Amino acid sequence: MFGQIRGHLGKISHNLVRQKECQILEGHLFPDRVPMCITIPPKHPVASVIGFLKGKSEIAVARQSGGKERNFTGEHL
């Protein structure tokens, strides 16, 4: 599954980071994690930006790989 999604993860991450006025300086994709170095403006709390990225990227991946547009209640990746 990772190989199919890997190509989309970069675009998803960059789009989400731009929404919070941040920038990805460096990042690597591993099968079990995605470490990134991100610049975050002082007006955004770090925990808020990270929570936003984790939540929204998971939803975007689930939409692309699962073929669903909504209702992810009770499902796991």
Side-chain angles (χ1 to χ4, degrees), residues 2 6 9 27-36:
F2 176 70
R6 183 180 176 122
L9 284 175
H28 302 282
L29 295 172
F30 295 108
D32 59 343
R33 65 191 184 282
V34 183
M36 288 188 270

Side-chain angles (χ1 to χ4, degrees), residues 8-44:
H8 301 291
L9 284 175
K11 289 191 296 186
I12 290 170
S13 298
H14 281 282
N15 289 336
L16 292 173
V17 166
R18 271 190 240 117
Q19 288 180 22
K20 289 290 186 180
E21 302 170 354
C22 301
Q23 182 182 10
I24 297 176
L25 299 178
E26 183 180 356
H28 302 282
L29 295 172
F30 295 108
D32 59 343
R33 65 191 184 282
V34 183
M36 288 188 270
C37 181
I38 303 172
T39 59
I40 300 174
K43 68 179 182 179
H44 295 296

